Amino acid sequence: MDRTERVELTTLTMVTDAQGRMLVQDRLDPNWGGICFPGGHVEPGESVVCAAIREVFEETGLRIENPQLCGIKQFPIEGGRYLVLLFKTNRFSGNLRSCEEGPVFWLAPEELSGYRLSDQFPELLNVFHNDNLTEFFWKKENNKWIFELL
């Protein structure tokens, strides 16, 4: 039995400031738009921590330090799974700037309701904030896609 499968590796990083605001990106992608955290693909041969640091810099202009792995999100794709490694940090430097993927800005948690959020962002936020949760997992049950927070 072959236990090897194709895995697409990505990262998302929640960066917070001293006031408790979150660095968010209002993604312009029509397939996955709305408020989300900066992130992207892990390049072949790249460490996942380095990918998180690089992606935050590319999308925001900030250089983060000491990102801590706090959870995962995963869902099936053709021939394998899509795995998102979730990081968080409050250590950063640099000047904030947006990129072509969408504007980035600081947002207080209580302001989220005034914005269009990316799919399942509130549930994903639970994984970032709740130390008792580590996984956002999509599965098919009775021919219907459901997700679990584990």
Side-chain angles (χ1 to χ4, degrees), residues 1 9 15 23 41 53 77 80 90 115 134 142:
M1 174 176 166
L9 288 174
V15 181
L23 181 60
H41 284 84
I53 292 168
I77 58 174
N90 60 5
Y115 291 87
T134 56
N142 299 322

Side-chain angles (χ1 to χ4, degrees), residues 55-63 93-98 104:
E55 284 290 344
V56 170
F57 177 72
E58 288 177 359
E59 295 182 6
T60 72
L62 299 183
R63 294 211 182 268
S93 61
N95 296 312
L96 191 62
R97 61 158 171 73
S98 296
V104 294

Side-chain angles (χ1 to χ4, degrees), residues 1 14 50 86 108 129 131:
M1 174 176 166
M14 181 176 73
C50 289
L86 309 176
H129 286 302
D131 289 339

Side-chain angles (χ1 to χ4, degrees), residues 74-76 137-141 144-148:
Q74 61 176 317
F75 52 90
F137 178 69
W138 279 97
K139 67 179 183 176
K140 200 168 197 175
E141 198 170 272
K144 182 179 177 184
W145 286 104
I146 62 168
F147 65 85
E148 289 184 291

Side-chain angles (χ1 to χ4, degrees), residues 6 8 28 32 46-47 61 67 70 73 93 109 117 119 127-128:
R6 179 177 162 266
E8 196 163 337
L28 302 175
W32 192 57
E46 182 180 37
S47 85
C70 62
K73 175 182 178 181
S93 61
L117 307 178
D119 292 340
V127 178
F128 279 99

Side-chain angles (χ1 to χ4, degrees), residues 25-128:
Q25 182 176 57
D26 192 359
R27 295 180 48 84
L28 302 175
D29 185 338
N31 295 318
W32 192 57
I35 296 296
C36 196
F37 296 127
H41 284 84
V42 177
E43 299 297 331
E46 182 180 37
S47 85
V48 293
V49 171
C50 289
I53 292 168
R54 176 185 51 76
E55 284 290 344
V56 170
F57 177 72
E58 288 177 359
E59 295 182 6
T60 72
L62 299 183
R63 294 211 182 268
I64 61 170
E65 297 176 29
N66 198 31
Q68 298 295 304
L69 184 64
C70 62
I72 59 173
K73 175 182 178 181
Q74 61 176 317
F75 52 90
I77 58 174
E78 187 173 330
R81 70 178 72 204
Y82 194 97
L83 187 63
V84 185
L85 300 164
L86 309 176
F87 290 91
K88 61 183 174 181
T89 186
N90 60 5
R91 297 177 58 192
F92 58 90
S93 61
N95 296 312
L96 191 62
R97 61 158 171 73
S98 296
C99 72
E100 71 279 351
E101 293 187 33
V104 294
F105 51 94
W106 295 102
L107 189 63
E110 61 271 11
E111 297 174 311
L112 282 171
S113 63
Y115 291 87
R116 181 175 69 100
L117 307 178
S118 61
D119 292 340
Q120 296 92 38
F121 186 75
E123 293 84 4
L124 187 62
L125 202 52
N126 281 337
V127 178
F128 279 99

